[in-house]
Amino acid sequence: GLQETTDCTDQDSIKSLFAHLDEAPVVSKVKRIGKAGDQVRPVRVVLSTKEAVRNVLGKSARLKESEVYQNVSIAPDRKAVERAVNGALRAKLREKIELEPEKVWRIRRGSVIEDGTSLIVFGLQETTDCTDQESIKSLFTHLDEAPVVSKVERLGKAGEQVRPVRREVVLSTKEAVRNVLGKSARLKESEVFQTVIIKRDMT
């Protein structure tokens, strides 16, 4: 919502905006996003420190009370956040490959896991009596298995249908995964877990 004008540069406009918030951060980059047209283009601003970003965002609500800046809003640069997260994941992936080169590592759904150690469990009822982690533990205990579970996450949105439980794990060996899959046929004979199906996560 910061108006484009020939009276001053975007750098000057950003400086005035921050001064209104009693902030004077070091600005390393100011750039309009998109092509010039009828609509006001957003401005991407890069500051020198994360603390400066937090300070500006923390005071940005004041703009609604300003006659000059009431139509201006400030939000985090999501693309920058995504780049930082992806960069951290890639660094962790490189570390895993360096420490355990005999294994195949990959990034999947925001985590670094060993390839072949992720399972999907279908038909496990959602309940408020216990957590998904506890339900998964009971399921594996029924199969006489006790693998280390690093992550349990429901796929899809809560609704009338039972969502599948994706169990994303990093085990000590792929043998543990094979053991669980090898015994999963027993579930058909169980009164508690007869509607549950376990498959390898191929995504």
Side-chain angles (χ1 to χ4, degrees):
L2 191 65
Q3 294 296 323
E4 301 183 53
T5 174
T6 56
D7 296 334
C8 63
T9 64
D10 284 335
Q11 286 82 352
D12 292 334
S13 296
I14 290 295
K15 184 178 180 180
S16 298
L17 173 65
F18 289 158
H20 186 82
L21 298 175
D22 298 321
E23 292 292 330
V26 176
V27 178
S28 57
K29 187 176 181 180
V30 175
K31 183 180 180 181
R32 289 278 177 180
I33 302 173
K35 296 181 180 180
D38 296 333
Q39 295 183 337
V40 178
R41 293 178 295 167
V43 185
R44 177 175 287 130
V45 182
V46 180
L47 304 184
S48 58
T49 65
K50 291 182 180 180
E51 182 180 2
V53 173
R54 287 194 295 268
N55 290 341
V56 169
L57 289 173
K59 296 180 178 180
S60 62
R62 298 182 185 179
L63 299 176
K64 294 180 181 180
E65 304 170 1
S66 168
E67 293 183 2
V68 178
Y69 298 112
Q70 60 182 341
N71 294 321
V72 176
S73 60
I74 303 175
D77 185 351
R78 295 300 180 190
K79 288 187 178 180
V81 174
E82 290 174 3
R83 286 195 297 270
V85 171
N86 291 336
L89 282 173
R90 287 192 295 270
K92 187 175 181 180
L93 177 63
R94 288 193 295 269
E95 180 183 358
K96 286 287 189 181
I97 293 173
E98 183 177 345
L99 292 175
E100 300 177 88
E102 72 281 1
K103 297 180 179 180
V104 179
W105 298 95
R106 64 186 296 185
I107 296 174
R108 179 182 292 165
R109 301 188 185 102
S111 299
V112 177
I113 68 169
E114 183 187 355
D115 193 33
T117 58
S118 180
L119 300 173
I120 296 182
V121 178
F122 295 90
L124 190 67
Q125 295 292 327
E126 299 187 73
T127 174
T128 56
D129 296 333
C130 62
T131 64
D132 281 338
Q133 287 82 353
E134 291 169 338
S135 295
I136 290 293
K137 183 178 179 180
S138 297
L139 174 65
F140 290 152
T141 298
H142 187 81
L143 298 175
D144 298 322
E145 293 293 329
V148 177
V149 179
S150 62
K151 185 177 182 180
V152 176
E153 183 178 341
R154 288 271 175 178
L155 293 177
K157 297 180 179 180
E160 295 179 358
Q161 293 184 338
V162 178
R163 292 179 292 166
V165 176
R166 182 191 69 217
R167 171 183 166 282
E168 205 160 14
V169 301
V170 178
L171 304 180
S172 57
T173 65
K174 292 183 182 180
E175 182 181 0
V177 176
R178 289 194 293 269
N179 290 342
V180 170
L181 290 171
K183 295 179 180 180
S184 61
R186 298 183 186 178
L187 299 176
K188 295 180 181 179
E189 304 169 2
S190 168
E191 292 184 2
V192 179
F193 299 112
Q194 61 181 341
T195 60
V196 175
I197 299 172
I198 305 176
K199 292 185 178 181
R200 190 185 299 275
D201 187 354
M202 303 302 292
T203 58

